[in-house]
Amino acid sequence: MGKIMVMSDSLANKIAAGEVVERPASVVKELVENAIDAGSKRIEIEVEDGGLTLIRVADDGEGMDAEDLEKAFLRHATSKMRSERDLFRITTLGFRGEALPSIAAVSKVEVATRSRDQLLAHTISLEGNKVIRTSQTPHPFGTEIWVRDLFFNTPARLKYLKSVQTENHHIQDIVNRLALAHPDISIRLINDGKEILKTAGTGDLLTVIHTIYGLEIAKKMIPIQGEHLDFHIDGFIGKPEITRGSRAYISFLVNGRFVRSNLLQRAILDGYHTLLPVNRYPFAVIQLRMDPTLVDVNVHPSKLEVRFSKEEELAKWMKEQVKRRLLYSSLIPESNLTDRRKRQHSEQDRFDLHWKVNESLPFNAFAEPPDSPSINIETSVRLEEKKVEEDVTENYSSQNMEEIDRLNARQVAPLLEPLAQLHGTYILAQNEEGLYIIDQHAAQERINYERFRQLLGSPSKDRQILAIAYTYELTSSEAEIIRNSDSLLREIGIIQEPFGDRSFLVREIPNWFIKGKEEAQIDEIIQLILQGKGRFTLADIRDKSAQLMACKASIKANQHLSREEMRSLLHQLSLVGNPYTCPHGRPILVHFSLYEIEKLFKRVM
Ligand SMILES: Nc1ncnc2c1ncn2[C@@H]1O[C@H](COP(=O)(O)OP(=O)(O)OP(=O)(O)O)[C@@H](O)[C@H]1O
Ligand SMILES: [Mg+2]
């Protein structure tokens, strides 16, 4: 007799649950997604003990009739797909018909549901997927589902769970993202009796960002919009002055679905480029829309990852959108001096404090909902941005990116008149907008960085022959990489020849190498190529070596500058593409507006 047996539904469900229901937050995600698919406008989520004792989700969606209610708990039962063709054009969040049976396999579930045409709601109770009871009861329209004693029959899974606090953080995180994905739905989260989140459901993304991250963050978000033949983006990216130590504040919402994507994350970070300090990450909420046939959502058991069919193109386009948007916005941090004094326990301070206490917490979970609904941040941010956008569309036609960068750089970089030098380190300067304090080293680093980058891009014409060839030696595997990078080195302007198996003789170098530091610069470029294992492109090398050289060639702190030297530095700064941060992402200038200064001296109230 054969040994193979088809497993029972109950066993199959438990196995599926292993993938779909990883932790309480996965249950919350599946139930809220079902509520969203049911066309709800209001969704309420309540959890107790990190979701282990209770997860309750109530919605005002279309509900189910008695027959569907029982079917919903069968494996592979779904109302969201009718034919195989539908699999390639999924417009709902769910489609596998797996979530409810999987959840029911590892918990005790109760549902009450009532559609518009029913007088009474139908209820069902299940334990480990067995129906225990069905009945009818008065209940508002929509569906309410209680999941109790999660993992009661899978002790191994229970043991693997982290603390209640950790599970709560995961739940808050996923609810935050679902709320960001659906600003048109009012989503409320109650945790052990305390309201943690309540979004307004007005359809405005910035209002949701305000509710989740607080006012100070919302005020520093820049709207971003973009239209491509195949994709459309709409959302907000944070000014580089608001960063966090983790990538958890970047959210991608693809056709209303929160997804994780290293590819898109990379694209965003590349868009910020040198605007971010090392190991700091921006805020970003990007809603991406595309034809459902261009994205495969059926690649991950909990649907958190997707596959894009034009991913390279998408990533490149996203990066450019972000880069361009940042260039067009004025990025000088405001001093905020007067505000700070007034609000000693401002939302921002609470946020920072909380964030310092627990850097791993992905969201500002403890930010209380603002007292007054989103007042006018929206309008003021938008007005400011609208002006910039108008300038942008005027200029942005067929010119290439670099030209536009230069054009716009002139519009955004202020020309400043030096007043004095402070402690041999900072330049005090003014224009009609008020006072600026400039970090002279950071400023010069940025100027040099842009100069070297340009030089590295067009160096081959101006070379000098070294009187004595410079020799260096590598390990044999390194030498192999360098031999294969010969054309790259030539493009940079370094002409060399192999000398034995592991040594090289450098004969010519670009003219602009810093005098007296030629050998060190050759070594740096070779090291960079090795670090990139030969995969760095000319653009990468340009960038990285320009950063290194800029730092070396720049004036340091504690160096006296004459008025003329300051003026020249400020003039050069006004011409660079990005006058706001040094290549490592530290700020170059801080602005004190006249209004703020007047406020300090109580000339205005
Ligand atoms: N809150 C709800 N309101 C109305 N109908 C619901 C609700 N939740 C579930 N359903 C119905 O139950 C069916 C089964 O839900 P389930 O979550 O198991 O599968 P799915 O959403 O179709 O796919 P997936 O497994 O990918 O989530 C759904 O297709 C839907 O018809
Ligand atoms: Mg579902």
Side-chain angles (χ1 to χ4, degrees), residues 506-553:
V506 181
R507 301 242 178 241
E508 291 176 42
I509 57 168
N511 249 337
W512 50 266
F513 267 26
I514 304 165
K515 298 280 164 281
K517 293 193 178 159
E518 294 88 348
E519 297 184 355
Q521 283 188 278
I522 297 170
D523 286 342
E524 266 159 20
I525 289 177
I526 297 300
Q527 282 311 315
L528 280 173
I529 295 177
L530 293 176
Q531 267 172 36
K533 301 214 166 48
R535 282 194 298 268
F536 278 166
T537 61
L538 180 62
D540 297 328
I541 299 286
R542 263 175 85 177
D543 221 70
K544 292 188 199 302
S545 36
Q547 275 190 33
L548 272 169
M549 290 179 200
C551 185
K552 297 239 158 85

Side-chain angles (χ1 to χ4, degrees), residues 35 38-42 59-63 114-116 141-143:
S40 308
K41 286 282 149 230
R42 285 179 46 199
D59 68 49
D60 63 352
E62 65 186 10
R114 180 177 162 213
S115 54
R116 301 278 178 235
F141 293 126
T143 303

Side-chain angles (χ1 to χ4, degrees), residues 125-160:
S125 305
L126 303 100
E127 208 162 287
N129 238 344
K130 286 203 177 56
V131 179
I132 299 178
R133 195 177 332 112
T134 59
S135 72
Q136 288 197 323
T137 178
H139 192 273
F141 293 126
T143 303
E144 186 161 5
I145 172 159
W146 293 260
V147 174
R148 294 199 173 86
D149 299 336
L150 185 60
F151 300 132
F152 79 101
N153 55 358
T154 49
R157 187 51 71 101
L158 202 56
K159 239 165 96 185
Y160 146 92

Side-chain angles (χ1 to χ4, degrees), residues 30-31 33-34 37 80 93-100 303:
E30 293 298 336
L31 296 183
E33 286 188 346
N34 279 347
D37 282 344
K80 301 170 193 175
L93 297 172
F95 55 89
R96 299 173 154 229
E98 252 180 3
L100 290 184
K303 299 163 278 191

Side-chain angles (χ1 to χ4, degrees), residues 374-581:
S374 83
I375 42 166
N376 275 336
I377 36 162
E378 209 189 314
T379 16
S380 65
V381 174
R382 292 240 159 103
L383 276 178
E384 178 192 321
E385 298 304 334
K386 193 160 168 279
K387 193 184 153 297
V388 181
E389 240 148 50
E390 281 163 7
D391 296 348
V392 173
T393 23
E394 226 165 75
N395 286 319
Y396 189 71
S397 51
S398 58
Q399 294 148 306
N400 72 27
M401 186 72 194
E402 291 209 359
E403 247 175 88
I404 296 164
D405 288 2
R406 236 173 288 129
L407 241 167
N408 273 277
R410 291 227 181 80
Q411 295 181 350
V412 287
L415 186 56
L416 306 173
E417 173 63 22
L419 296 168
Q421 194 187 21
L422 181 70
H423 290 288
T425 303
Y426 304 100
I427 299 170
L428 305 184
Q430 68 172 349
N431 69 1
E432 60 284 0
E433 317 249 312
L435 172 72
Y436 294 78
I437 304 183
I438 295 112
D439 180 325
Q440 67 191 41
H441 175 69
Q444 179 129 64
E445 242 189 301
R446 168 57 69 179
I447 294 164
N448 280 334
Y449 166 74
E450 300 215 355
R451 186 165 63 95
F452 285 128
R453 234 178 76 94
Q454 219 178 10
L455 289 169
L456 276 158
S458 52
S460 37
K461 295 163 236 129
D462 298 322
R463 285 199 300 267
Q464 49 173 318
I465 298 174
L466 290 173
I468 304 165
Y470 171 59
T471 319
Y472 63 90
E473 192 182 353
L474 302 169
T475 68
S476 43
S477 60
E478 286 171 344
E480 175 72 18
I481 294 175
I482 295 301
R483 267 195 298 278
N484 292 331
S485 305
D486 195 56
S487 61
L488 178 63
L489 283 162
R490 270 172 189 279
E491 274 181 278
I492 295 170
I494 297 177
I495 311 290
Q496 61 171 21
E497 55 200 56
F499 181 67
D501 273 352
R502 292 166 39 192
S503 298
F504 296 87
L505 285 180
V506 181
R507 301 242 178 241
E508 291 176 42
I509 57 168
N511 249 337
W512 50 266
F513 267 26
I514 304 165
K515 298 280 164 281
K517 293 193 178 159
E518 294 88 348
E519 297 184 355
Q521 283 188 278
I522 297 170
D523 286 342
E524 266 159 20
I525 289 177
I526 297 300
Q527 282 311 315
L528 280 173
I529 295 177
L530 293 176
Q531 267 172 36
K533 301 214 166 48
R535 282 194 298 268
F536 278 166
T537 61
L538 180 62
D540 297 328
I541 299 286
R542 263 175 85 177
D543 221 70
K544 292 188 199 302
S545 36
Q547 275 190 33
L548 272 169
M549 290 179 200
C551 185
K552 297 239 158 85
S554 301
I555 34 167
K556 297 283 178 249
N558 281 319
Q559 186 175 327
H560 175 75
L561 297 179
S562 69
R563 183 66 66 94
E564 246 344 281
E565 283 169 324
M566 288 193 264
R567 185 166 289 126
S568 143
L569 187 73
L570 293 177
H571 175 68
Q572 291 175 54
L573 187 64
S574 74
L575 297 176
V576 299
N578 164 7
Y580 308 111
T581 60

